[in-house]
Amino acid sequence: MVTVIWGAVLVVIKADRVIPPEWNPLAPLNVTEPVTLFTNWRLDRALATPAACLAALNTAGRFDVMDDFEASNTCHIRTRVDLAGVGQVLINPVETTCAIALRMAMWEQHSLQPAATEILDTTVTGIDHIGSYNCRRIRSASGSSNRWSTHATAEAIDIAGFQFADGTRSRLLDDWDANDARARFQRAARNGACDWFQLTLSPDYNRLHADHFHVQSRGWGLCR
Ligand SMILES: [Zn+2]
């Protein structure tokens, strides 16, 4: 009996030393680790509590933690951070939720940088956004809706373009339809956003999104 227990303990200790954290479903999320079958599960766990989210964001984000902002029942920023960068990328400081910041960090690390290297032979140094928190209702192509926007709780951010290490910029409005390498990068950026956010709307969705990606930290997986 003692031998059996010792055997089990040894196996656990050995497994703990051999399995890299990205293959350990119980290891806290580190943004910089390679993506595995367990990454999405670990991301969900990181998003489950404010403390876990901030700890995960700490592995790749430049940010200050702020007190929750409560304007009303429908308009607030909970687990609020002042985000100034993710990975190698600088961001014009924006107050948003930890969930949006963490998803942006995953997007930068695992989608934007690989796509920039492969398609443009450079690195992304900046993400241009046009805001996260906005206490307003949903806008649609046919007008305003009664439902509150995810911007009202900073569970969304609008991305207008990117800056690169060679000093160039790419705006969605200029390059989405260009049929060149920048347009291919923007498609790759949109498709990558669909992997890391819960809902992604690009210029393909409707004319309201001609100049930005709208990405959300909650939703049903719409990717267009
Ligand atoms: Zn938006």
Side-chain angles (χ1 to χ4, degrees):
M1 188 63 184
V2 171
T3 315
V4 172
I5 291 171
W6 269 108
V9 169
L10 278 175
V11 167
V12 169
I13 290 170
K14 218 175 164 187
D16 203 39
R17 290 175 60 179
V18 172
I19 298 177
E22 63 268 26
W23 285 103
N24 177 355
L26 297 178
L29 181 70
N30 179 326
V31 170
T32 63
E33 287 167 0
V35 173
T36 71
L37 293 174
F38 297 116
T39 303
N40 270 316
W41 197 74
R42 293 168 71 209
L43 175 60
D44 284 347
R45 283 183 60 227
L47 293 168
T49 67
C53 186
L54 294 170
L57 185 58
N58 218 11
T59 63
R62 249 178 267 199
F63 64 101
D64 290 321
V65 181
M66 304 181 78
D67 291 339
D68 287 357
F69 169 78
E70 302 280 343
S72 67
N73 273 344
T74 46
C75 294
H76 48 75
I77 312 176
R78 294 174 183 159
T79 316
R80 178 169 58 146
V81 295
D82 189 9
L83 185 68
V86 287
Q88 305 173 62
V89 157
L90 292 177
I91 296 166
N92 208 3
V94 58
E95 290 185 20
T96 189
T97 50
C98 181
I100 283 292
L102 183 56
R103 289 178 183 282
M104 285 184 75
M106 295 299 281
W107 184 41
E108 188 268 348
Q109 174 85 26
H110 301 294
S111 303
L112 296 181
Q113 297 300 359
T117 302
E118 190 189 318
I119 299 169
L120 300 173
D121 196 24
T122 185
T123 52
V124 184
T125 54
I127 296 176
D128 295 327
H129 70 84
I130 46 176
S132 175
Y133 175 76
N134 188 348
C135 183
R136 65 166 172 82
R137 294 173 196 270
I138 290 175
R139 294 183 196 121
S140 74
S142 53
S144 192
S145 141
N146 272 334
R147 289 163 52 217
W148 287 92
S149 165
T150 43
H151 285 289
T153 46
E155 294 171 293
I157 190 166
D158 293 333
I159 308 295
F162 305 92
Q163 298 165 43
F164 303 102
D166 58 9
T168 60
R169 259 186 147 94
S170 176
R171 297 197 313 156
L172 267 70
L173 196 57
D174 299 331
D175 297 330
W176 184 260
D177 293 319
N179 198 23
D180 61 4
R182 285 178 171 204
R184 285 201 301 282
F185 170 79
Q186 291 187 357
R187 287 320 178 274
R190 189 271 310 274
N191 296 345
C194 295
D195 289 338
W196 300 114
F197 293 90
Q198 292 293 90
L199 181 145
T200 300
L201 304 178
S202 75
D204 281 349
Y205 181 63
N206 65 20
R207 60 190 161 78
L208 291 180
H209 296 82
D211 64 352
H212 70 277
F213 297 147
H214 168 94
V215 293
Q216 282 186 201
S217 59
R218 62 180 165 87
W220 299 273
L222 182 60
C223 166
R224 196 180 297 163

Short mmCIF file of all heavy atoms in Angstrom, two decimals, residues 51-101:
data_model
loop_
_atom_site.label_atom_id
_atom_site.label_comp_id
_atom_site.label_asym_id
_atom_site.label_seq_id
_atom_site.Cartn_x
_atom_site.Cartn_y
_atom_site.Cartn_z
N ALA A 51 -8.97 38.55 -10.19
CA ALA A 51 -7.58 38.31 -9.80
C ALA A 51 -6.87 37.46 -10.84
O ALA A 51 -5.71 37.72 -11.19
CB ALA A 51 -7.54 37.62 -8.43
N ALA A 52 -7.55 36.42 -11.35
CA ALA A 52 -6.92 35.55 -12.35
C ALA A 52 -6.68 36.31 -13.64
O ALA A 52 -5.65 36.14 -14.31
CB ALA A 52 -7.80 34.33 -12.61
N CYS A 53 -7.61 37.18 -14.01
CA CYS A 53 -7.45 37.96 -15.24
C CYS A 53 -6.25 38.90 -15.12
O CYS A 53 -5.41 38.97 -16.02
CB CYS A 53 -8.72 38.76 -15.54
SG CYS A 53 -8.64 39.61 -17.14
N LEU A 54 -6.16 39.61 -14.01
CA LEU A 54 -5.05 40.56 -13.84
C LEU A 54 -3.72 39.84 -13.78
O LEU A 54 -2.72 40.32 -14.32
CB LEU A 54 -5.28 41.40 -12.57
CG LEU A 54 -6.51 42.33 -12.65
CD1 LEU A 54 -6.81 42.94 -11.27
CD2 LEU A 54 -6.30 43.43 -13.69
N ALA A 55 -3.69 38.65 -13.17
CA ALA A 55 -2.44 37.88 -13.11
C ALA A 55 -2.02 37.45 -14.51
O ALA A 55 -0.84 37.54 -14.88
CB ALA A 55 -2.62 36.67 -12.20
N ALA A 56 -2.98 37.00 -15.32
CA ALA A 56 -2.66 36.59 -16.70
C ALA A 56 -2.22 37.79 -17.53
O ALA A 56 -1.26 37.72 -18.30
CB ALA A 56 -3.87 35.90 -17.33
N LEU A 57 -2.92 38.92 -17.36
CA LEU A 57 -2.57 40.12 -18.11
C LEU A 57 -1.17 40.60 -17.76
O LEU A 57 -0.45 41.15 -18.59
CB LEU A 57 -3.60 41.22 -17.84
CG LEU A 57 -3.45 42.51 -18.65
CD1 LEU A 57 -3.51 42.24 -20.15
CD2 LEU A 57 -4.52 43.52 -18.25
N ASN A 58 -0.77 40.34 -16.53
CA ASN A 58 0.54 40.74 -16.05
C ASN A 58 1.67 40.05 -16.83
O ASN A 58 2.80 40.52 -16.82
CB ASN A 58 0.66 40.37 -14.57
CG ASN A 58 1.41 41.42 -13.79
OD1 ASN A 58 1.66 42.52 -14.29
ND2 ASN A 58 1.78 41.08 -12.57
N THR A 59 1.37 38.94 -17.53
CA THR A 59 2.42 38.24 -18.28
C THR A 59 2.70 38.90 -19.63
O THR A 59 3.65 38.53 -20.30
CB THR A 59 2.04 36.76 -18.52
OG1 THR A 59 0.85 36.68 -19.34
CG2 THR A 59 1.78 36.02 -17.20
N ALA A 60 1.87 39.86 -20.04
CA ALA A 60 2.11 40.48 -21.36
C ALA A 60 1.55 41.88 -21.52
O ALA A 60 1.66 42.44 -22.61
CB ALA A 60 1.53 39.59 -22.46
N GLY A 61 0.96 42.44 -20.49
CA GLY A 61 0.33 43.75 -20.66
C GLY A 61 1.07 44.86 -19.96
O GLY A 61 1.78 44.63 -18.98
N ARG A 62 0.94 46.07 -20.50
CA ARG A 62 1.40 47.28 -19.82
C ARG A 62 0.15 48.01 -19.37
O ARG A 62 -0.61 48.50 -20.22
CB ARG A 62 2.16 48.16 -20.82
CG ARG A 62 3.64 48.26 -20.54
CD ARG A 62 4.26 49.09 -21.60
NE ARG A 62 4.75 48.23 -22.66
CZ ARG A 62 5.65 48.60 -23.56
NH1 ARG A 62 6.10 49.83 -23.55
NH2 ARG A 62 6.06 47.77 -24.47
N PHE A 63 -0.09 48.05 -18.08
CA PHE A 63 -1.38 48.58 -17.62
C PHE A 63 -1.31 48.99 -16.16
O PHE A 63 -0.44 48.56 -15.42
CB PHE A 63 -2.47 47.52 -17.79
CG PHE A 63 -2.26 46.29 -16.94
CD1 PHE A 63 -2.98 46.12 -15.75
CD2 PHE A 63 -1.35 45.31 -17.29
CE1 PHE A 63 -2.79 45.01 -14.96
CE2 PHE A 63 -1.14 44.19 -16.49
CZ PHE A 63 -1.86 44.03 -15.33
N ASP A 64 -2.25 49.83 -15.79
CA ASP A 64 -2.50 50.15 -14.38
C ASP A 64 -3.86 49.60 -14.00
O ASP A 64 -4.81 49.72 -14.78
CB ASP A 64 -2.48 51.66 -14.14
CG ASP A 64 -1.08 52.24 -14.28
OD1 ASP A 64 -0.12 51.58 -13.84
OD2 ASP A 64 -0.95 53.34 -14.85
N VAL A 65 -3.95 49.01 -12.81
CA VAL A 65 -5.23 48.54 -12.31
C VAL A 65 -5.98 49.75 -11.76
O VAL A 65 -5.40 50.58 -11.07
CB VAL A 65 -5.04 47.49 -11.20
CG1 VAL A 65 -6.39 46.99 -10.70
CG2 VAL A 65 -4.20 46.33 -11.72
N MET A 66 -7.27 49.85 -12.07
CA MET A 66 -8.08 50.96 -11.58
C MET A 66 -9.28 50.42 -10.81
O MET A 66 -9.69 49.28 -11.03
CB MET A 66 -8.56 51.83 -12.75
CG MET A 66 -7.43 52.37 -13.61
SD MET A 66 -8.07 53.41 -14.94
CE MET A 66 -8.41 54.93 -14.03
N ASP A 67 -9.86 51.26 -9.95
CA ASP A 67 -11.09 50.86 -9.27
C ASP A 67 -12.21 50.69 -10.30
O ASP A 67 -12.20 51.34 -11.35
CB ASP A 67 -11.52 51.94 -8.27
CG ASP A 67 -10.55 52.03 -7.09
OD1 ASP A 67 -9.84 51.04 -6.85
OD2 ASP A 67 -10.53 53.09 -6.43
N ASP A 68 -13.17 49.84 -9.97
CA ASP A 68 -14.33 49.69 -10.84
C ASP A 68 -14.99 51.06 -11.03
O ASP A 68 -15.04 51.88 -10.11
CB ASP A 68 -15.35 48.73 -10.23
CG ASP A 68 -14.89 47.29 -10.31
OD1 ASP A 68 -13.81 47.02 -10.88
OD2 ASP A 68 -15.62 46.42 -9.80
N PHE A 69 -15.48 51.29 -12.25
CA PHE A 69 -16.20 52.52 -12.57
C PHE A 69 -17.68 52.16 -12.73
O PHE A 69 -18.01 51.27 -13.51
CB PHE A 69 -15.64 53.11 -13.86
CG PHE A 69 -16.46 54.22 -14.44
CD1 PHE A 69 -16.40 55.50 -13.90
CD2 PHE A 69 -17.28 53.99 -15.54
CE1 PHE A 69 -17.16 56.52 -14.45
CE2 PHE A 69 -18.04 55.02 -16.09
CZ PHE A 69 -17.98 56.28 -15.54
N GLU A 70 -18.54 52.82 -11.97
CA GLU A 70 -19.97 52.50 -11.99
C GLU A 70 -20.75 53.77 -12.29
O GLU A 70 -20.94 54.61 -11.41
CB GLU A 70 -20.43 51.94 -10.64
CG GLU A 70 -19.70 50.69 -10.18
CD GLU A 70 -20.21 49.41 -10.86
OE1 GLU A 70 -21.32 49.43 -11.43
OE2 GLU A 70 -19.49 48.40 -10.79
N ALA A 71 -21.21 53.95 -13.53
CA ALA A 71 -22.04 55.11 -13.86
C ALA A 71 -23.50 54.80 -13.60
O ALA A 71 -24.26 55.65 -13.17
CB ALA A 71 -21.82 55.51 -15.32
N SER A 72 -23.91 53.55 -13.87
CA SER A 72 -25.30 53.12 -13.68
C SER A 72 -25.33 51.61 -13.80
O SER A 72 -24.29 50.98 -13.99
CB SER A 72 -26.20 53.74 -14.77
OG SER A 72 -25.87 53.18 -16.03
N ASN A 73 -26.53 51.03 -13.72
CA ASN A 73 -26.66 49.59 -13.90
C ASN A 73 -26.19 49.13 -15.26
O ASN A 73 -25.70 48.02 -15.43
CB ASN A 73 -28.13 49.17 -13.73
CG ASN A 73 -28.45 48.91 -12.28
OD1 ASN A 73 -27.53 48.76 -11.46
ND2 ASN A 73 -29.73 48.88 -11.96
N THR A 74 -26.40 49.98 -16.27
CA THR A 74 -26.09 49.57 -17.64
C THR A 74 -24.74 50.08 -18.12
O THR A 74 -24.23 49.59 -19.13
CB THR A 74 -27.18 50.08 -18.60
OG1 THR A 74 -27.44 51.45 -18.28
CG2 THR A 74 -28.45 49.27 -18.47
N CYS A 75 -24.18 51.04 -17.43
CA CYS A 75 -22.92 51.64 -17.89
C CYS A 75 -21.87 51.56 -16.79
O CYS A 75 -21.99 52.24 -15.75
CB CYS A 75 -23.15 53.09 -18.31
SG CYS A 75 -24.21 53.22 -19.78
N HIS A 76 -20.87 50.75 -17.01
CA HIS A 76 -19.81 50.59 -16.01
C HIS A 76 -18.59 49.93 -16.63
O HIS A 76 -18.67 49.38 -17.74
CB HIS A 76 -20.31 49.75 -14.83
CG HIS A 76 -21.00 48.48 -15.23
ND1 HIS A 76 -20.34 47.37 -15.68
CD2 HIS A 76 -22.33 48.15 -15.25
CE1 HIS A 76 -21.21 46.41 -15.95
NE2 HIS A 76 -22.42 46.86 -15.70
N ILE A 77 -17.47 50.03 -15.92
CA ILE A 77 -16.25 49.30 -16.31
C ILE A 77 -15.78 48.54 -15.08
O ILE A 77 -15.24 49.14 -14.14
CB ILE A 77 -15.11 50.22 -16.80
CG1 ILE A 77 -15.61 51.26 -17.81
CG2 ILE A 77 -13.99 49.38 -17.40
CD1 ILE A 77 -14.53 52.27 -18.24
N ARG A 78 -16.04 47.24 -15.06
CA ARG A 78 -15.62 46.41 -13.91
C ARG A 78 -14.34 45.68 -14.24
O ARG A 78 -14.09 45.33 -15.38
CB ARG A 78 -16.76 45.45 -13.54
CG ARG A 78 -17.95 46.24 -13.02
CD ARG A 78 -19.17 45.39 -12.77
NE ARG A 78 -20.28 46.26 -12.35
CZ ARG A 78 -21.56 45.92 -12.43
NH1 ARG A 78 -21.91 44.73 -12.89
NH2 ARG A 78 -22.48 46.77 -12.03
N THR A 79 -13.53 45.46 -13.21
CA THR A 79 -12.15 44.97 -13.40
C THR A 79 -11.48 45.88 -14.43
O THR A 79 -11.00 45.46 -15.47
CB THR A 79 -12.11 43.50 -13.82
OG1 THR A 79 -13.04 42.75 -13.03
CG2 THR A 79 -10.72 42.90 -13.60
N ARG A 80 -11.46 47.16 -14.08
CA ARG A 80 -11.00 48.20 -15.00
C ARG A 80 -9.47 48.30 -15.01
O ARG A 80 -8.84 48.28 -13.95
CB ARG A 80 -11.60 49.54 -14.58
CG ARG A 80 -11.17 50.71 -15.45
CD ARG A 80 -11.97 51.97 -15.19
NE ARG A 80 -11.94 52.45 -13.82
CZ ARG A 80 -11.98 53.73 -13.48
NH1 ARG A 80 -12.05 54.68 -14.40
NH2 ARG A 80 -11.99 54.08 -12.21
N VAL A 81 -8.91 48.42 -16.19
CA VAL A 81 -7.47 48.69 -16.32
C VAL A 81 -7.28 49.88 -17.26
O VAL A 81 -8.12 50.14 -18.12
CB VAL A 81 -6.70 47.46 -16.89
CG1 VAL A 81 -6.76 46.28 -15.93
CG2 VAL A 81 -7.21 47.05 -18.27
N ASP A 82 -6.17 50.57 -17.06
CA ASP A 82 -5.74 51.61 -18.00
C ASP A 82 -4.65 50.95 -18.83
O ASP A 82 -3.53 50.76 -18.36
CB ASP A 82 -5.22 52.82 -17.22
CG ASP A 82 -4.96 54.00 -18.13
OD1 ASP A 82 -5.34 53.95 -19.33
OD2 ASP A 82 -4.37 54.99 -17.66
N LEU A 83 -5.00 50.57 -20.05
CA LEU A 83 -4.12 49.73 -20.87
C LEU A 83 -3.26 50.59 -21.79
O LEU A 83 -3.78 51.43 -22.53
CB LEU A 83 -4.97 48.77 -21.71
CG LEU A 83 -4.20 47.75 -22.55
CD1 LEU A 83 -3.49 46.73 -21.66
CD2 LEU A 83 -5.13 47.03 -23.53
N ALA A 84 -1.93 50.38 -21.76
CA ALA A 84 -1.02 51.16 -22.59
C ALA A 84 -0.21 50.30 -23.56
O ALA A 84 0.53 50.82 -24.40
CB ALA A 84 -0.05 51.95 -21.71
N GLY A 85 -0.35 48.98 -23.45
CA GLY A 85 0.38 48.12 -24.38
C GLY A 85 0.14 46.66 -24.10
O GLY A 85 -0.26 46.28 -22.99
N VAL A 86 0.35 45.84 -25.14
CA VAL A 86 0.33 44.38 -24.99
C VAL A 86 1.51 43.84 -25.79
O VAL A 86 1.73 44.26 -26.93
CB VAL A 86 -0.99 43.73 -25.47
CG1 VAL A 86 -2.13 44.01 -24.50
CG2 VAL A 86 -1.36 44.17 -26.87
N GLY A 87 2.28 42.94 -25.19
CA GLY A 87 3.43 42.36 -25.89
C GLY A 87 4.36 43.44 -26.41
O GLY A 87 4.81 44.31 -25.65
N GLN A 88 4.64 43.42 -27.73
CA GLN A 88 5.56 44.40 -28.32
C GLN A 88 4.84 45.65 -28.81
O GLN A 88 5.43 46.50 -29.46
CB GLN A 88 6.26 43.78 -29.54
CG GLN A 88 6.98 42.48 -29.27
CD GLN A 88 7.50 41.88 -30.57
OE1 GLN A 88 8.33 42.49 -31.25
NE2 GLN A 88 7.01 40.72 -30.94
N VAL A 89 3.55 45.74 -28.53
CA VAL A 89 2.71 46.76 -29.14
C VAL A 89 2.33 47.85 -28.15
O VAL A 89 1.97 47.56 -27.01
CB VAL A 89 1.44 46.07 -29.71
CG1 VAL A 89 0.30 47.04 -29.84
CG2 VAL A 89 1.73 45.42 -31.04
N LEU A 90 2.43 49.10 -28.60
CA LEU A 90 1.95 50.22 -27.79
C LEU A 90 0.52 50.56 -28.19
O LEU A 90 0.15 50.46 -29.35
CB LEU A 90 2.84 51.44 -27.99
CG LEU A 90 4.26 51.33 -27.44
CD1 LEU A 90 5.05 52.59 -27.77
CD2 LEU A 90 4.24 51.09 -25.93
N ILE A 91 -0.24 50.99 -27.20
CA ILE A 91 -1.63 51.35 -27.42
C ILE A 91 -1.85 52.71 -26.80
O ILE A 91 -1.39 52.96 -25.68
CB ILE A 91 -2.56 50.31 -26.75
CG1 ILE A 91 -2.39 48.94 -27.40
CG2 ILE A 91 -4.02 50.75 -26.82
CD1 ILE A 91 -3.02 47.81 -26.60
N ASN A 92 -2.50 53.60 -27.51
CA ASN A 92 -2.88 54.87 -26.93
C ASN A 92 -3.71 54.54 -25.68
O ASN A 92 -4.72 53.87 -25.80
CB ASN A 92 -3.73 55.63 -27.96
CG ASN A 92 -3.62 57.11 -27.78
OD1 ASN A 92 -2.86 57.58 -26.92
ND2 ASN A 92 -4.38 57.86 -28.56
N PRO A 93 -3.25 54.96 -24.48
CA PRO A 93 -3.87 54.45 -23.25
C PRO A 93 -5.40 54.50 -23.29
O PRO A 93 -6.00 55.51 -23.68
CB PRO A 93 -3.32 55.37 -22.17
CG PRO A 93 -1.96 55.74 -22.70
CD PRO A 93 -2.15 55.88 -24.20
N VAL A 94 -5.99 53.40 -22.88
CA VAL A 94 -7.44 53.27 -22.95
C VAL A 94 -7.94 52.56 -21.70
O VAL A 94 -7.36 51.57 -21.26
CB VAL A 94 -7.88 52.52 -24.23
CG1 VAL A 94 -7.27 51.14 -24.32
CG2 VAL A 94 -9.40 52.43 -24.35
N GLU A 95 -9.01 53.12 -21.12
CA GLU A 95 -9.64 52.44 -19.98
C GLU A 95 -10.59 51.38 -20.52
O GLU A 95 -11.49 51.68 -21.31
CB GLU A 95 -10.39 53.45 -19.12
CG GLU A 95 -9.44 54.37 -18.38
CD GLU A 95 -10.17 55.29 -17.42
OE1 GLU A 95 -11.31 54.99 -17.04
OE2 GLU A 95 -9.57 56.33 -17.07
N THR A 96 -10.35 50.14 -20.10
CA THR A 96 -11.18 49.05 -20.58
C THR A 96 -11.24 47.97 -19.52
O THR A 96 -10.69 48.13 -18.43
CB THR A 96 -10.63 48.53 -21.94
OG1 THR A 96 -11.57 47.60 -22.50
CG2 THR A 96 -9.28 47.85 -21.79
N THR A 97 -11.93 46.86 -19.85
CA THR A 97 -11.98 45.75 -18.90
C THR A 97 -10.74 44.89 -19.05
O THR A 97 -10.12 44.83 -20.12
CB THR A 97 -13.22 44.88 -19.19
OG1 THR A 97 -13.23 44.55 -20.59
CG2 THR A 97 -14.50 45.59 -18.82
N CYS A 98 -10.41 44.18 -17.99
CA CYS A 98 -9.29 43.25 -18.05
C CYS A 98 -9.53 42.21 -19.14
O CYS A 98 -8.60 41.81 -19.83
CB CYS A 98 -9.10 42.56 -16.70
SG CYS A 98 -7.70 41.42 -16.68
N ALA A 99 -10.78 41.79 -19.33
CA ALA A 99 -11.08 40.76 -20.34
C ALA A 99 -10.69 41.22 -21.74
O ALA A 99 -10.07 40.47 -22.50
CB ALA A 99 -12.56 40.39 -20.29
N ILE A 100 -11.03 42.46 -22.09
CA ILE A 100 -10.65 42.98 -23.41
C ILE A 100 -9.13 43.07 -23.51
O ILE A 100 -8.53 42.69 -24.52
CB ILE A 100 -11.32 44.36 -23.65
CG1 ILE A 100 -12.79 44.16 -24.02
CG2 ILE A 100 -10.59 45.15 -24.74
CD1 ILE A 100 -13.05 43.50 -25.37
N ALA A 101 -8.49 43.56 -22.46
CA ALA A 101 -7.03 43.70 -22.48
C ALA A 101 -6.35 42.34 -22.65
O ALA A 101 -5.42 42.19 -23.44
CB ALA A 101 -6.56 44.37 -21.19
#
